[in-house]
Amino acid sequence: MTPLVRSVRSVRSADTLTRDALAVLQPGFTGTTAPDWLLRRLGEGLASVGLFGRNVADPAQLASLTAQLRAEREDVLVAVDEEGGDVTRLEVRGGSSFPGNHALGAVDDTALTRKVARELGRRLAACGINLNWAPSADVNSNPANPVIGVRSFGADPRLVARHTAAYVDGLQSAGVAACTKHFPGHGDTAVDSHHDLPHIAADLATLQERELVPFRAAVAAGTRAVMSAHILLPALDGERPATLSPAALHGLLRAPAAEGGLGFDGLIVTDGMEMQAISATYGIERGSVLAIAAGADAICVGGGLADEDTVLRLRDALVRAVHDGELPESRLADAAARVHALARWTRSASAGEGAAPAPGIGLAAARRALRLTADGPYEPLTAPAYVAAFTPLANIAVGDDTPWGVAAELARLLPGTETATCTAASAAAAGPAALIDDLLTAAGDRRVVAVVRDVHRHPWMADALHTLLATRPDTAVVEMGVPQSPPRGAPHIATHGAARVCGRAAAEALTGLTPTNGGEHHHTP
């Protein structure tokens, strides 16, 4: 009998181990309905699913998809990367109804930030989503940052902290768990971790006084999850990026406040493991094992690798690491337990009263965030304009699918408005003078509206804008990135974001038209 008992125990242990390995994964998939393999793995222990823009057609379809997942596993965590602003999955093809963090930071009204986050959370919850990989708590201390920018509330740690806390509170009051990111802070980087491994040279004192301030506020506000960053901070760990570093996750994020840590006891989620900072250096299997061993509880994967093979590779790598003694079984069990604990929280939170709808809050915030600078009186646009969109390469977090700019909103107010797109490639091919000559020939006698993003980061854009303003000083300029450069234009408008509602607010300001309650427009004196 003894060998039989031992055999049953080992089978049970193996099954538990496999279920725990599946439980810590947050994979993606393709399509707008759940594939059979995903439903099958949910039955075997997979506890989370990540959704991306490719999975979303409209709210009704999304609600049907999440219902399909819950029919297989009632307590599944359904996660999405919905920051509002530039990074939207719910409105990936039309542009966001929410202006994004930088706009909220520019207004600096924490009550407004809380209301915006609550409404965003309400919409997510209505679609069956209960975990949001947001907000970004990064302090945008490096103006050259190619991946954070308007995703940050700003460059002041205290401002970022108070808005991060308000956002966490608002989102979670709607029953959606917040996942504050990118710990311990991605703001002081000039490298995008989607492409390479960024190094942050700041010493520990600077990190404590700058990067960590918003994360402390998020923990104090009760954020249910924190997302790690694939960044190397030699002050913490000279060898491994934060996602794979016990010093960063266990030693700093989990450590008690009395020991200089943040005392966080919720779910630690990794940033996407297929990002080059991890996949090109460690590989996703090895990286996932190191992440769980370092203190992470959930592996985010699926932005680029969205198939069953990826799930099985990571599951098997974790199981193998336990068998080989590289990963303590207790650590994997603890990680899985934290996933299940968050699932229980979302079910109890969603059982409460739903948030009251506030459908216009995003546009109201975008209008308040707008800053208009003019040397003197300027003529509002009253006839069709010509929009020159100086378009930088979109970073991967934003993607190419999401529209931005003012042309569509301006054309709605002034039918007949046309637009042209100028890129680094077209500027390099033609040169600034020829580029602007062609643009002005196409514009004819129409007023020109130049739309730029982060003009301070793109010399080709700055050169083209300088040439345009020298020739046509009555050009209106709309900066939809971080307004770091001195304002120029007649007028200059800073929207602090490129969401659809930011474009609408800018179009209203350019035309002097604001909507009445009936939906028509009137001129603002």
Side-chain angles (χ1 to χ4, degrees):
M1 285 297 292
T2 306
L4 179 61
V5 171
R6 188 180 300 120
S7 172
V8 170
R9 280 178 181 161
S10 66
V11 169
R12 186 177 298 144
S13 175
D15 181 60
T16 301
L17 190 57
T18 301
R19 294 187 75 84
D20 284 350
L22 282 169
V24 303
L25 304 180
Q26 293 189 346
F29 61 95
T30 56
T32 52
T33 58
D36 289 343
W37 69 261
L38 184 70
L39 299 175
R40 188 166 62 252
R41 300 305 170 191
L42 285 170
E44 294 173 3
L46 187 68
S48 309
V49 175
L51 301 182
F52 297 84
R54 61 177 180 247
N55 306 122
V56 179
D58 55 58
Q61 167 270 326
L62 189 53
S64 175
L65 169 58
T66 58
Q68 188 187 10
L69 297 172
R70 288 208 166 81
E72 193 62 47
R73 183 184 182 108
E74 194 176 0
D75 64 345
V76 65
L77 287 172
V78 183
V80 74
D81 200 359
E82 183 59 51
E83 299 176 17
D86 274 16
V87 180
T88 178
R89 306 299 177 236
L90 287 189
E91 301 178 277
V92 65
R93 288 165 196 87
S96 182
S97 303
F98 303 94
N101 285 5
H102 206 58
L104 296 172
V107 178
D108 196 14
D109 177 349
T110 52
L112 176 67
T113 296
R114 190 175 291 106
K115 289 175 185 173
V116 166
R118 183 173 172 83
E119 172 62 13
L120 189 146
R122 186 194 67 79
R123 294 191 194 184
L124 290 173
C127 295
I129 292 164
N130 53 13
L131 172 60
N132 190 9
W133 294 318
S136 166
D138 305 295
V139 178
N140 203 42
S141 54
N142 186 342
N145 196 311
V147 68
I148 301 301
V150 293
R151 299 168 68 195
S152 165
F153 290 111
D156 177 355
R158 287 160 296 284
L159 178 144
V160 177
R162 60 180 173 266
H163 287 279
T164 296
Y167 194 107
V168 166
D169 183 49
L171 188 66
Q172 294 188 165
S173 72
V176 176
C179 183
T180 305
K181 63 189 184 186
H182 306 83
F183 181 84
H186 208 313
D188 188 20
T189 61
V191 172
D192 183 346
S193 52
H194 290 91
H195 302 298
D196 206 347
L197 179 61
H199 290 61
I200 294 183
D203 59 24
L204 200 52
T206 302
L207 291 176
Q208 293 283 7
E209 294 166 9
R210 190 177 64 188
E211 273 77 11
L212 297 179
V213 173
F215 288 97
R216 290 187 191 282
V219 172
T223 187
R224 308 306 302 191
V226 169
M227 178 176 281
S228 66
H230 306 327
I231 52 177
L232 191 69
L233 297 101
L236 283 176
D237 188 324
E239 181 185 349
R240 290 180 177 170
T243 293
L244 314 182
S245 169
L249 301 187
H250 183 74
L252 183 60
L253 185 51
R254 291 270 190 237
E259 297 173 17
L262 275 67
F264 177 63
D265 196 39
L267 190 76
I268 299 178
V269 184
T270 72
D271 207 343
M273 295 303 283
E274 63 267 65
M275 292 164 64
Q276 292 294 302
I278 299 296
S279 61
T281 311
Y282 297 88
I284 62 165
E285 292 100 329
R286 176 84 180 135
S288 296
V289 169
L290 291 173
I292 298 294
D297 306 304
I299 300 295
C300 175
V301 67
L305 298 171
D307 53 28
E308 182 177 23
D309 181 59
T310 300
V311 172
L312 298 182
R313 280 165 59 197
L314 297 185
R315 178 200 68 183
D316 294 347
L318 291 166
V319 170
R320 190 164 54 247
V322 171
H323 286 314
D324 292 347
E326 290 184 79
L327 176 64
E329 186 171 0
S330 59
R331 171 75 276 271
L332 183 61
D334 172 60
R338 289 180 188 275
V339 172
H340 297 314
L342 180 58
R344 285 194 298 275
W345 178 87
T346 61
R347 294 183 73 188
S348 64
S350 64
E353 284 190 22
I361 194 70
L363 179 57
R367 288 173 177 150
R368 288 181 63 186
L370 191 140
R371 300 290 179 268
L372 188 148
T373 307
D375 293 334
Y378 66 92
E379 288 296 318
L381 298 176
T382 55
Y386 193 80
V387 178
F390 294 93
T391 305
L393 191 67
N395 73 59
I396 291 175
V398 176
D400 293 323
D401 295 337
T402 305
W404 70 283
V406 301
E409 295 296 332
L410 205 51
R412 198 167 52 78
L413 297 179
L414 300 174
T417 292
E418 294 180 2
T419 186
T421 299
C422 308
T423 65
S426 62
L435 181 77
I436 299 306
D437 279 346
D438 290 347
L439 191 151
L440 292 178
T441 299
D445 59 359
R446 289 174 288 185
R447 281 278 296 280
V448 176
V449 177
V451 183
V452 295
R453 287 180 76 164
D454 293 342
V455 71
H456 66 282
R457 291 201 301 113
H458 303 286
W460 70 267
M461 195 185 294
D463 290 345
L465 183 62
H466 177 79
T467 304
L468 174 59
L469 289 170
T471 311
R472 290 281 291 268
D474 66 338
T475 296
V477 177
V478 181
E479 168 63 85
M480 303 194 83
V482 178
Q484 194 77 20
S485 294
R488 301 176 65 199
H492 179 279
I493 292 172
T495 59
H496 299 91
R500 177 173 51 82
V501 285
C502 298
R504 179 168 171 182
E508 292 171 353
L510 287 166
T511 57
L513 293 168
T514 54
T516 63
N517 288 336
E520 297 174 350
H521 291 79
H522 63 84
H523 274 281
T524 303

